[in-house]
Amino acid sequence: MTASAPAVPRELIYIPDVASTRFYAGALAKLSVLQYFVAEAAVIGAWAGPEPYSRRTGYISDLGAVGCGVFSGRDVCSPAHLLMNASFVVQGIGMMVGALLLSSTVVGIAARAGVRLALAPGKRPASASAFAARALTVTAGAGTVVVGLVPEDAGSGWHVVGALMFFAAGGLALLLLGWLWRAQTPLGWFILACGVVSLAALATGGVTGMQVPEPGTLERLMGYPITIGTAAVGLVVAQRVRQERGVQKTMRLQASSARSAGPSAPAR
């Protein structure tokens, strides 16, 4: 008789439960950052300054300024500042919750359907890039929470610190994830581009001191790609979770059908 091949120990293969409700909730948390654009449009519509608000020349933080008057040489008056600041906080919480709910392993393989990871018994795989991206996303989320809690006219330097945390850490997180996913999904290149644009705009703002013809445009080139890229990350993970759930449902139905059919009767 021919000896059968030795079985591979189950411990050597780690298959993360990508279909977990936890990971789906993490993906939806990341997608929730898109509420920012709705809130910003509503707050701009309520603007009561002496001049209409322009996204090209107006700073984003002007929309969250509590008082009406001149701030840093700009006439600001945002009656809906509470909505803008609440949106900053919600956006930050969405980023942090999403990063914390998604494990580094799932983030590392979210764009690769059907992947199986080999590793030593008793251990779990870890991706340094995925872990760093999660940590940076938490930092960026905390930064925009600070921006919402400490408006620009509150007389505190923490507002600037929070904004820098959001721009720098958020751009770096997308850069890492985009590079990690570049060969796994077309959105990988898009996410990578979002990180590049955001960091390039941040560097430009640092070199020029924001003394440019359209500071609002430059600031939005720092912030918008982070929000859009974060939502794209959530979309990739959500699609993978739904795909895995569909596979599991199909397998359960097939197993149930096989049990119902029972053993076939022997031919006579």
Side-chain angles (χ1 to χ4, degrees), residues 62-76:
D62 290 348
L63 298 172
V66 175
C68 290
V70 178
F71 179 81
S72 294
R74 305 185 302 275
D75 285 313
V76 300

Side-chain angles (χ1 to χ4, degrees), residues 237-258:
V237 177
Q239 288 178 332
R240 177 69 194 279
V241 171
R242 293 185 64 180
Q243 180 186 40
E244 290 294 322
R245 287 186 168 186
V247 170
Q248 291 185 8
K249 182 178 180 180
T250 299
M251 293 175 63
R252 286 195 299 268
L253 289 174
Q254 290 176 344
S256 177
S257 298

Side-chain angles (χ1 to χ4, degrees), residues 48 54-55 60 74 76 100 102 105 157 168 212 214 221 242 254:
S54 169
R55 287 184 173 89
I60 296 173
R74 305 185 302 275
V76 300
L100 293 173
L102 300 177
T105 301
V212 295
E214 296 187 3
L221 285 174
R242 293 185 64 180
Q254 290 176 344

Side-chain angles (χ1 to χ4, degrees), residues 17-108:
D17 183 14
V18 179
S20 166
T21 300
R22 166 191 165 182
F23 299 141
Y24 196 49
L28 294 180
K30 285 184 174 290
L31 281 166
S32 73
V33 301
L34 293 175
Q35 56 78 29
Y36 166 83
F37 294 111
V38 178
E40 185 193 53
V43 175
I44 290 175
W47 182 259
E51 297 291 336
Y53 183 88
S54 169
R55 287 184 173 89
R56 295 169 60 182
T57 58
Y59 285 84
I60 296 173
S61 293
D62 290 348
L63 298 172
V66 175
C68 290
V70 178
F71 179 81
S72 294
R74 305 185 302 275
D75 285 313
V76 300
C77 190
S78 182
H81 60 270
L82 287 177
L83 174 60
M84 192 74 261
N85 291 324
S87 177
F88 289 142
V89 173
V90 171
Q91 181 184 31
I93 291 175
M95 294 176 71
M96 290 190 291
V97 169
L100 293 173
L101 288 179
L102 300 177
S103 70
S104 297
T105 301
V106 168
V107 169

Side-chain angles (χ1 to χ4, degrees), residues 190-214:
F190 175 75
I191 293 166
L192 179 63
C194 286
V196 170
V197 170
S198 178
L199 292 175
L202 178 61
T204 302
V207 170
T208 63
M210 297 300 291
Q211 300 303 309
V212 295
E214 296 187 3

Side-chain angles (χ1 to χ4, degrees), residues 95-155:
M95 294 176 71
M96 290 190 291
V97 169
L100 293 173
L101 288 179
L102 300 177
S103 70
S104 297
T105 301
V106 168
V107 169
I109 68 168
R112 291 183 291 169
V115 72
R116 297 296 181 263
L117 305 175
L119 67 160
K123 295 185 178 180
R124 291 290 181 267
S127 167
S129 296
F131 179 81
R134 291 174 61 222
L136 286 166
T137 301
V138 170
T139 302
T144 193
V145 167
V146 171
V147 168
L149 294 178
V150 185
E152 66 175 8
D153 57 348

